[in-house]
Each structure stands twice: as structure tokens, then as C-alpha cells.
């Protein structure tokens, strides 16, 4: 006899510690958060064991670019399974990791290359931070040990990545374990003062970086930025001018630029790499999430030849002696190669522009809602802030919205009072229209409850 859906829920609550969750919120009661036992996925939809479906409007935490059980990626993985599942990347190499590294370098015009692989986004950030520090040390500039991050930044939850994160909810509990970073003003366009444009905010924020560099550049190894959209702080969007200005400052003051494109790369902001919209390249570029199409854990850091050469030596201690057991896993790399092939074959970036126009139009009534502020969009990301005057209700807004969305066949998980949509790149016109209509219905229900 097959297990019933609630059997899976009960067993999960007894045995699984779910991420980014206060587990008590899954307990029974009026304020409980649903736990959905997923049976399978097809396209943009997830299905539970009872046949109920949920439109994955946040791409399962921003990773699933081309739908669940995508036939192209499935076929590539099935083929790779019969060839090579894994081999250590120290002293060995293999076709998928070589081809993936070559293709990504070509996509940067060969400005970036020398791909170093890991598993999750935080690991990629750790690699970039360590590489920056060590490269300066190898260059004889051992005083350059500090890092700079933006207000509201999020770069992961390992110790190094958390040190350059500025979201109190994630960071405060572990403060004693962390090495403090320098925090500079966010270019978040919502910070615009009367009469200011998004570019004015970008200039003002860049001026804060310039002031810090003038004072501390001799001690600063790198500044790390989520280009165009700071996601975990509430989809804070900024003008590309900020990246252009900070790139100029990094060049002038001899500071590395690390761009965390883990969430905003792979076409999410409208170009494959977000930094392309500023016509700049960083010294380190971190990718994860969508690079494998949402199939397997994979992350990587691309860097310039100058950084690579700083480690190239007969002296072992000058090498970058960092490793993960599953570094460059062939299956994950093969999924990534299939993902890149879909971008080429399906003209994804151009098609996404049409999808974005349609969904933005369909969301227009919600953007004009009296309880909505700061409706914004960049590429395939939409966000708005809910007006919830009562503090107690504001504190539960995200949980109430998530539960109501599930009742309306949507997977939407707000960040605080910020509702965002980051759907996969395969939505039909009907699905886009339905997503907009149901999001409005859920919002009306939640603010009225």
C-alpha cells in the first residue's frame, strides 16, 4: 500500500530539519505553515501526491530555469550516467568540465576564465574571497585583507560568506564567529530622495565607496556586489551605472571587484551575465543556482588571467589549495552544458523579453494597488512591497501569503513584506496571465484577512 501524503509530512517533520525555517511554524494550529509533499514536477508546475498542482513562480529558490523534468537536460544526464558519474578533479579532468569552462570563458569574451568549481553559491563566494586575499598576498600586498559589502547584501551562510552579508536575520546570531566587513551604502533605487533618479542614487552610493577607498584601499582586498538586484534583502534593484562607477574605482584604487551573480546571472536580469548591462567585467564572477538548470548542485568562480598568474608558481604554498570532493562533478557540468545549449537553441534571452513585457502588463493592476509600493521589474524578476501598517500583521505577512498562494495553485514565498516573482523561462501566455491574476487574488485575500 502506497504511503499517504500526510505520512510523508509527518515523517519529514520527524526526520528532516528544513532550511530557512522556524520548524515550529510547521506545527498544527492557526498560524501553521503548510508543508507540501511533492510527488513530481512537469514544466512550470509541481504536483503533490493528491494531484494538486502549484505553479513554481519562484523557480524553486531561483534555480529552475527551464521547468521541471526538462527533456533536454534529462536526456543529457541519462547519457552522462552511462559514461562517468564522478571522478576527482585533482590530477584528473573530463570532457564536461573542460567544455563548460571553455564555453563560459567564451561568453565573457575570454576576459574571464580559469573556472574553479564548487557545489553551492556560498562556497563560490568563499573561493572568491580567499582567492582575492591570497592573490594580493602573493603579490606582496599582504595588508590587503579587508572586504567591503553593500547594505542589505546577502552572499551565503558559510562563515566567510556570512561575514560579507548584511541581513541581520541571518547574520546576528553568528556575529562572534565572523570577521567584520566594511559596509557601504546600497544603491537601492528605493532610497531615492525627492527629485532623484535611480542613477542619482547610484552616483551617491558610488561616492560612498570612493570615500572608503580613499581611506582604506591599502587594506582592502575586494568589494563584493550582487549586480543589479540584491535579492535576499527584498529584491533591491539598482541602476547599472553603479557597477560602471565602482569598476572605475576598483581600477583606480587597486581593489578587486567580486560580482555575486549566483541569483542574478544566467539570464535572470535580462542578459546572461547581469554585469553585461554595465558593459564591465569583474575580477571574480560567481555563478550557481540556474547554471545547472536547477538539477544538481554546482557553483563556480571565473577570474582574470592576472589573478590566475598570481598563483602560478613552483612553490606549493603559493598555489590555491582549496578543494571540494565533488568539484567539477561530470553530471552537474553536463546539466550546465545542456542548460547553455537551451539558451542558444531557443533564443531564450529574446523570448524572455517578450515574456517579461506580457507579465509586466498583466501585473499593472497590482502595481497600481493602493496597498502596493515600489513595484519594480528587471528582466525576469518582479517585486513589490506590501503596505501593512499593523506591526503584528506585518510580521506574519510572508507566512500568510505563502499559505494563501498554495491554495491558489501558486508557489510564492515573500521576503518579509516584499512579494516577488522569479518564474522559469518557459511560461506560456496563459500561464503568465494566470500568474498575474492569481497573485492579485492572493494579495487581496491576505491584506483583507
Amino acid at each position: 500500500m502506497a504511503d499517504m501524503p500526510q505520512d510523508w509530512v509527518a515523517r519529514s517533520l520527524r526526520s528532516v530539519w528544513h532550511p530557512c525555517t522556524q520548524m515550529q511554524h510547521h506545527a498544527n494550529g492557526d498560524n501553521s505553515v503548510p508543508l507540501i509533499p511533492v510527488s513530481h514536477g512537469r514544466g512550470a508546475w509541481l504536483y503533490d501526491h493528491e494531484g494538486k498542482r502549484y505553479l513554481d513562480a519562484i523557480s524553486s529558490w531561483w534555480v529552475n530555469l527551464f521547468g521541471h523534468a526538462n527533456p533536454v537536460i534529462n536526456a543529457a544526464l541519462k547519457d552522462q550516467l552511462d559514461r562517468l558519474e564522478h571522478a576527482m578533479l585533482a590530477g584528473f579532468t573530463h570532457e564536461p568540465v573542460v567544455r563548460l569552462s571553455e564555453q563560459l570563458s567564451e561568453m565573457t569574451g575570454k576576459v574571464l576564465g580559469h573556472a574553479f568549481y564548487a557545489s553551492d553559491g556560498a562556497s563560490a563566494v568563499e573561493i572568491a574571497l580567499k582567492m582575492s586575499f591570497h592573490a594580493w598576498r602573493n603579490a606582496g600586498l599582504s595588508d590587503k585583507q579587508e572586504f567591503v559589502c553593500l547594505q542589505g547584501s546577502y552572499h551565503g551562510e558559510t562563515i566567510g560568506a556570512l561575514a560579507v552579508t548584511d541581513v541581520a536575520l541571518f547574520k546576528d546570531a553568528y556575529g562572534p564567529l565572523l570577521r567584520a566587513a566594511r559596509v557601504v551604502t546600497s544603491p537601492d533605487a528605493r532610497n531615492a530622495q525627492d527629485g532623484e533618479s535611480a542613477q542619482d542614487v547610484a552616483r551617491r552610493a558610488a561616492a560612498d565607496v570612493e570615500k572608503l577607498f580613499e581611506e582604506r584601499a591599502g587594506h582592502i582586498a575586494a568589494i563584493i556586489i550582487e549586480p543589479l538586484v540584491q535579492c535576499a534583502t527584498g529584491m533591491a534593484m539598482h541602476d547599472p551605472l553603479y557597477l560602471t562607477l565602482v569598476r572605475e574605482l576598483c581600477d583606480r584604487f587597486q581593489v578587486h571587484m567580486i560580482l555575486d551573480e549566483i541569483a542574478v546571472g544566467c539570464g535572470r536580469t535580462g542578459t546572461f551575465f547581469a554585469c553585461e548591462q554595465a558593459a564591465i567585467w569583474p575580477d571574480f564572477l560567481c555563478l550557481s543556482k540556474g547554471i545547472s538548470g536547477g538539477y544538481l548542485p554546482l557553483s563556480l568562480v571565473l577570474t582574470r588571467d592576472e589573478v590566475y598568474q598570481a598563483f602560478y608558481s613552483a612553490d606549493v604554498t603559493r598555489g590555491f589549495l582549496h578543494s571540494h570532493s565533488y568539484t567539477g562533478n561530470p553530471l552537474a557540468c553536463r546539466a550546465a552544458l545542456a542548460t547553455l545549449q537551451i539558451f542558444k537553441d531557443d533564443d531564450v534571452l529574446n523570448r524572455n523579453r517578450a515574456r517579461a513585457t506580457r507579465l509586466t502588463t498583466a501585473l499593472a493592476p497590482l502595481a497600481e494597488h493602493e496597498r502596493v509600493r515600489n513595484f519594480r521589474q528587471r528582466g525576469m524578476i518582479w517585486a513589490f512591497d506590501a503596505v501593512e501598517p499593523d506591526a503584528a500583521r506585518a510580521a506574519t505577512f510572508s507566512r500568510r501569503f505563502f499559505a494563501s498562494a498554495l491554495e491558489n495553485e501558486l508557489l510564492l514565498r515573500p521576503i518579509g513584506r516584499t512579494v516577488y516573482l522569479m518564474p522559469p523561462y518557459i511560461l506560456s501566455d496563459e500561464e503568465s496571465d494566470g500568474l498575474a491574476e492569481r497573485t492579485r487574488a492572493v494579495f487581496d485575500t491576505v491584506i483583507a484577512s
Side-chain angles (χ1 to χ4, degrees):
M1 181 177 177
D3 289 301
M4 296 300 292
Q6 289 307 311
D7 291 339
W8 290 115
V9 172
R11 287 167 63 180
S12 187
L13 290 175
R14 286 195 300 267
S15 61
V16 180
W17 198 335
H18 292 266
C20 204
T21 300
Q22 170 49 264
M23 292 299 294
Q24 192 180 76
H25 292 163
H26 282 313
N28 293 331
D30 293 339
N31 293 320
S32 65
V33 176
L35 183 63
I36 306 300
V38 176
S39 168
H40 62 282
R42 289 289 183 275
W45 299 86
L46 291 169
Y47 295 81
D48 67 18
H49 290 263
E50 296 177 335
K52 296 178 183 177
R53 64 178 191 167
Y54 309 90
L55 181 65
D56 191 352
I58 59 172
S59 299
S60 285
W61 259 350
W62 322 341
V63 302
N64 187 277
L65 301 190
F66 299 116
H68 299 281
N70 181 280
V72 173
I73 304 176
N74 283 2
L77 287 175
K78 289 173 183 176
D79 178 73
Q80 186 62 41
L81 274 172
D82 289 329
R83 297 173 182 269
L84 176 66
E85 80 299 336
H86 184 64
M88 60 186 288
L89 206 59
F92 290 85
T93 193
H94 50 76
E95 180 182 347
V97 78
V98 172
R99 289 176 55 210
L100 179 58
S101 303
E102 290 174 341
Q103 288 188 29
L104 289 171
S105 182
E106 288 285 348
M107 292 170 72
T108 72
K110 296 187 177 179
V111 175
L112 302 176
H114 305 293
F116 197 101
Y117 289 85
S119 54
D120 57 277
S123 295
V125 169
E126 297 275 348
I127 288 165
L129 296 174
K130 288 177 66 177
M131 274 187 179
S132 174
F133 162 80
H134 200 164
W136 289 125
R137 189 181 72 174
N138 282 353
L141 298 171
S142 57
D143 286 343
K144 293 173 78 65
Q145 300 180 11
E146 298 178 1
F147 294 99
V148 181
C149 65
L150 276 56
Q151 288 175 340
S153 59
Y154 175 89
H155 299 289
E157 294 168 44
T158 52
I159 296 299
L162 198 57
V164 290
T165 287
D166 187 51
V167 179
L169 179 64
F170 300 115
K171 184 175 183 177
D172 283 0
Y174 308 103
L177 302 179
L178 306 177
R179 180 172 181 171
R182 303 276 175 177
V183 181
V184 291
T185 303
S186 170
D188 181 357
R190 292 175 296 179
N191 293 333
Q193 299 171 0
D194 289 345
E196 276 194 325
S197 67
Q199 287 202 341
D200 292 330
V201 178
R203 290 189 186 93
R204 186 153 48 82
D208 192 37
V209 176
E210 182 175 25
K211 180 181 178 182
L212 177 63
F213 282 8
E214 287 174 344
E215 298 171 353
R216 301 291 304 173
H219 298 275
I220 294 172
I223 181 171
I224 183 168
I225 302 168
E226 301 162 89
L228 303 185
V229 187
Q230 295 177 255
C231 294
T233 195
M235 301 299 160
M237 301 185 183
H238 60 258
D239 192 275
L241 177 63
Y242 180 74
L243 302 176
T244 305
L245 296 175
V246 174
R247 175 71 269 182
E248 293 171 355
L249 292 171
C250 287
D251 290 340
R252 193 199 326 166
F253 288 96
Q254 207 174 13
V255 171
H256 287 146
M257 175 186 248
I258 302 171
L259 290 188
D260 174 353
E261 296 218 6
I262 290 160
V264 298
C266 301
R268 184 55 71 180
T269 59
T271 48
F272 188 86
F273 299 108
C275 61
E276 293 179 75
Q277 296 178 49
I280 61 102
W281 294 108
D283 300 292
F284 303 88
L285 191 148
C286 303
L287 286 178
S288 189
K289 291 190 181 291
I291 189 62
S292 72
Y295 269 67
L296 290 165
L298 180 68
S299 66
L300 60 101
V301 178
L302 298 172
T303 191
R304 295 175 181 263
D305 190 58
E306 298 92 323
V307 173
Y308 179 78
Q309 291 300 327
F311 294 89
Y312 199 78
S313 170
D315 184 351
V316 172
T317 65
R318 291 176 62 88
F320 189 64
L321 306 181
H322 184 101
S323 64
H324 292 264
S325 299
Y326 285 92
T327 290
N329 174 261
L331 287 167
C333 289
R334 191 70 187 276
L337 285 166
T339 297
L340 295 183
Q341 194 63 48
I342 294 172
F343 271 100
K344 295 176 184 177
D345 293 345
D346 294 353
D347 193 20
V348 169
L349 296 177
N350 282 326
R351 290 190 176 190
N352 274 357
R353 293 184 185 104
R355 289 189 182 96
T357 298
R358 185 180 186 96
L359 187 50
T360 300
T361 300
L363 289 167
L366 185 56
E368 298 166 3
H369 197 289
E370 63 179 2
R371 297 282 292 276
V372 165
R373 297 290 184 272
N374 303 311
F375 181 88
R376 51 204 182 274
Q377 177 260 334
R378 170 74 68 174
M380 291 291 286
I381 305 175
W382 292 261
F384 61 87
D385 304 322
V387 177
E388 191 69 278
D390 182 79
R393 286 174 51 80
T396 62
F397 175 84
S398 177
R399 301 204 300 273
R400 290 184 288 117
F401 195 100
F402 172 66
S404 181
L406 291 175
E407 294 174 359
N408 285 268
E409 295 188 336
L410 295 181
L411 169 52
L412 286 172
R413 186 182 168 107
I415 301 169
R417 291 181 294 106
T418 298
V419 178
Y420 72 91
L421 287 68
M422 291 177 69
Y425 307 160
I426 59 167
L427 292 188
S428 66
D429 290 348
E430 181 182 3
E431 287 170 334
S432 292
D433 294 345
L435 172 57
E437 181 180 348
R438 293 183 186 201
T439 301
R440 168 66 185 269
V442 172
F443 184 72
D444 283 339
T445 297
V446 172
I447 62 172
S449 62

